[in-house]
Amino acid sequence: MAQRGSGRGNDYQRQQQALQRAQEQRARQAERERKAAETAGKRQERERKAAYQEQQAEQAQVRTIGVEHEVEQLGQLLRDALVGDPPTTFERRRRTHTPTKLDERPWSRPEPSPRWEELAPPEPSGLAAVLGLGRKRYEAEVAEARVRFGEAQERHRRAEEKRLATLERKRAEHLQAETQALGEVATFNGKLDEEREAYRAGEPAAVEAHLGAVLDASEYPLGFPHEHRIAFRPATGDVLVEIHLPPEAIVPTARGYRYVKNRDETAVLPRPEKERKEIYASVLAQVALRTVHEVLTSDPDRIVNGVILNGHVRTIDRATGQEVSPCLVTLSAGREQFAKLRLSQVDPAQCLRGLNALVSPNPYDLEPIRPIVEFDLSKYRLMDSMDVVAGLDSRPVLVKLTPTEFEHLIRQLFEAIGMEAWNTQASKDEGVDAVAVSKDPVFNGECASFRRSATASSWVLNPSRRSPEWSSTSVLPRGS
């Protein structure tokens, strides 16, 4: 008995041990599965994070490419206008009419006619037909069917009449629309021919309308204004063009973008201020040259002898909060003078200097200049027979010039007598505002520099050691 009790005890102990081992095995298996799931989750998280970071880096790269494309477009403004034909000509403005064909399919197919076979009741057959049973009922059904058949035929006839009437109406409407479109094209082209003849005759309204269409058709990148005013002076053959220039915000402030992983943010790589100013100055120069080019190349009849251009930018005065339109570029270019330029090879800013254009010394800061000629279009067009602008004296009033404008005027005077002159930037140059250099082979070199006097009411010419023609310092009073 003791042995049997001991055996049962051993069996129970073995069962408990086996149960414990099974539980431990299940626990180890569960732990392995947990760790495997945790490892898989971490791997998935790493993959998700890596994919997210890669996506952010790609987006930063795409934004960088976009900014680079914007800047590239800003650098190609002038060259884009040199490729292909002018924006528009009288011939390109002509309209043509391409006849269209009416789609008659919705009304061209008649509805199928009703068929008696589909409505006729079945005749009696078999023994009923032999005995004549149901004959009266059949005849009644036939009578009812004939009534329905007649109604169906009437509906079909009305539907056909409606379809044919609709088809005829659509044809008439289509013919009327075609005739009207053809008439509108003929009317437009007739007026265009009249405008062309008026343009060849040098009538101001026709010249202004055509050149306005030319500038309207000129394609610029997104964000560029398309506003302009034009006035033609038949007496001189000059056309005055006032355009709105793009604001300084047209130049991207970012050079690029870079994704920073440890901060999980896209950092902006700023564009240096000097570079922004250089790009903006180039944009203004390109737009000015491009406008003159488009005006002159769109004038095959050579009605326009020269272009006087004022470039304004619409902005908000930070001091007053009022909307202002300071002039940043003004120039006067004759046809023959402009034709000598190889615009595909020029540096726009240097080209403006060669044209003696007056450019804002700080265009990025919207420092205004005085236009060469100011005109009021509302007054100019009061009377068709009166050329108000032609009688205006465009010479500047010296006493009203700002110091900067007077500096440029003195520079232009030296350039007008055949010298090369440059305005200097504010620096430690003993107050020299400009330097003039002679091209003469005898007196080649620096001939004179000039600066404002301490009283700011006169200008002092400083003779150079290399310029023997200056024997003493000369004083030019302001306004002389």
Side-chain angles (χ1 to χ4, degrees):
M1 293 295 294
Q3 290 179 353
R4 272 184 293 194
S6 176
R8 285 196 296 272
N10 292 335
D11 292 340
Y12 176 76
Q13 188 176 4
R14 285 194 294 272
Q15 291 175 356
Q16 291 297 319
Q17 292 175 351
L19 180 61
Q20 185 177 359
R21 286 195 297 272
Q23 291 175 344
E24 291 174 354
Q25 185 177 3
R26 286 194 297 272
R28 287 194 296 272
Q29 179 64 25
E31 181 64 18
R32 285 194 297 270
E33 292 176 355
R34 185 189 65 79
K35 290 182 178 181
E38 183 178 349
T39 301
K42 291 181 179 179
R43 183 178 65 253
Q44 293 176 355
E45 178 63 21
R46 287 195 301 270
E47 292 174 353
R48 185 198 63 78
K49 186 176 181 179
Y52 168 78
Q53 292 175 343
E54 183 179 355
Q55 181 185 25
Q56 295 299 312
E58 289 178 355
Q59 290 181 355
Q61 182 64 22
V62 168
R63 295 177 67 183
T64 299
I65 294 174
V67 169
E68 292 174 349
H69 177 66
E70 289 181 30
V71 174
E72 183 180 359
Q73 281 186 312
L74 297 180
Q76 298 291 329
L77 294 173
L78 179 57
R79 292 185 181 180
D80 289 345
L82 304 178
V83 178
D85 299 326
T88 188
T89 61
F90 277 101
E91 288 304 317
R92 293 179 63 181
R93 288 174 62 191
R94 292 186 69 85
R95 295 179 182 177
T96 58
H97 175 66
T98 302
T100 60
K101 186 177 181 181
L102 176 64
D103 184 7
E104 298 182 354
R105 288 177 297 178
W107 313 282
S108 62
R109 295 181 180 180
E111 292 293 330
S113 301
R115 299 175 57 193
W116 168 252
E117 292 82 1
E118 296 177 352
L119 297 176
E123 295 184 10
S125 60
L127 184 59
V130 174
L131 298 177
L133 300 176
R135 191 66 186 178
K136 291 183 179 181
R137 185 174 61 182
Y138 169 72
E139 291 176 354
E141 291 176 350
V142 168
E144 294 177 359
R146 290 190 184 281
V147 173
R148 291 197 302 272
F149 182 67
E151 294 173 348
Q153 285 182 318
E154 180 63 21
R155 287 195 299 271
H156 179 266
R157 184 187 63 79
R158 290 197 299 266
E160 276 299 288
E161 289 179 352
K162 182 178 180 181
R163 178 184 68 82
L164 293 175
T166 302
L167 179 59
E168 289 303 317
R169 178 169 54 82
K170 293 295 183 181
R171 286 174 176 172
E173 291 175 352
H174 177 71
L175 179 60
Q176 182 181 3
E178 287 290 298
T179 303
Q180 181 179 352
L182 189 61
E184 290 175 353
V185 169
T187 301
F188 177 85
N189 290 338
K191 291 182 178 179
L192 187 63
D193 291 337
E194 294 176 1
E195 183 181 326
R196 177 67 180 269
E197 293 304 317
Y199 178 85
R200 287 173 174 170
E203 295 184 12
V207 175
E208 294 164 7
H210 173 64
L211 297 181
V214 169
L215 298 185
D216 284 336
S218 183
E219 296 183 357
Y220 280 91
L222 186 66
F224 275 68
H226 254 79
E227 301 174 57
H228 52 76
R229 298 196 300 172
I230 300 174
F232 178 62
R233 303 195 295 185
T236 62
D238 292 333
V239 60
L240 284 72
V241 181
E242 181 181 282
I243 61 173
H244 278 280
L245 300 167
E248 72 280 5
I250 202 71
V251 180
T253 57
R255 175 179 283 180
Y257 298 88
R258 180 172 57 87
Y259 176 66
V260 183
K261 293 183 179 180
N262 57 356
R263 297 202 303 267
D264 187 23
E265 64 180 24
T266 300
V268 179
L269 305 178
R271 191 176 302 277
E273 183 178 0
K274 180 181 178 182
E275 182 179 345
R276 295 201 306 271
K277 292 183 176 181
E278 291 175 351
I279 293 175
Y280 187 60
S282 175
V283 166
L284 300 187
Q286 289 183 79
V287 172
L289 293 173
R290 172 171 168 167
T291 302
V292 177
H293 166 78
E294 290 174 341
V295 168
L296 294 178
T297 55
S298 301
D299 176 37
D301 299 311
R302 303 177 72 85
I303 302 299
V304 177
N305 296 327
V307 179
I308 301 174
L309 181 139
N310 298 330
H312 295 255
V313 60
R314 180 173 290 136
T315 184
I316 301 298
D317 189 336
R318 298 184 181 92
T320 65
Q322 300 295 323
E323 185 176 279
V324 293
S325 296
C327 181
L328 301 184
V329 179
T330 183
L331 64 90
S332 176
R335 177 182 289 277
E336 301 303 326
Q337 177 190 20
F338 203 80
K340 297 177 182 179
L341 301 176
R342 296 181 61 185
L343 294 179
S344 60
Q345 304 294 328
V346 302
D347 175 84
Q350 293 290 338
C351 186
L352 285 186
R353 179 180 295 177
L355 292 172
N356 293 327
L358 187 60
V359 183
S360 169
N362 296 297
Y364 195 80
D365 296 326
L366 306 177
E367 183 175 334
I369 58 174
R370 188 183 301 276
I372 294 177
V373 175
E374 295 181 284
F375 58 94
D376 187 345
L377 285 181
S378 62
K379 296 180 180 179
Y380 180 76
R381 301 307 301 168
L382 279 178
M383 297 178 62
D384 294 337
S385 60
M386 181 179 296
D387 188 356
V388 178
V389 179
L392 296 181
D393 187 350
S394 61
R395 292 175 298 176
V397 180
L398 301 186
V399 295
K400 295 183 179 181
L401 294 181
T402 64
T404 299
E405 291 170 342
F406 194 78
E407 292 171 16
H408 283 275
L409 174 62
I410 297 299
R411 169 184 59 77
Q412 290 178 309
L413 290 176
F414 278 109
E415 291 174 339
I417 62 175
M419 302 175 67
E420 290 186 357
W422 298 271
N423 292 97
T424 63
Q425 297 182 353
S427 60
K428 296 179 180 180
D429 54 5
E430 299 181 357
V432 174
D433 295 313
V435 177
V437 176
S438 174
K439 301 178 183 177
D440 189 278
V442 177
F443 302 114
N444 186 31
E446 181 183 349
C447 292
S449 60
F450 58 93
R451 60 181 174 82
R452 246 178 310 178
S453 68
T455 61
S457 61
S458 63
W459 295 81
V460 182
L461 291 174
N462 301 321
S464 170
R465 298 175 184 174
R466 298 175 58 189
S467 55
E469 69 260 42
W470 294 102
S471 59
S472 61
T473 299
S474 303
V475 177
L476 292 179
R478 289 299 301 271
S480 63

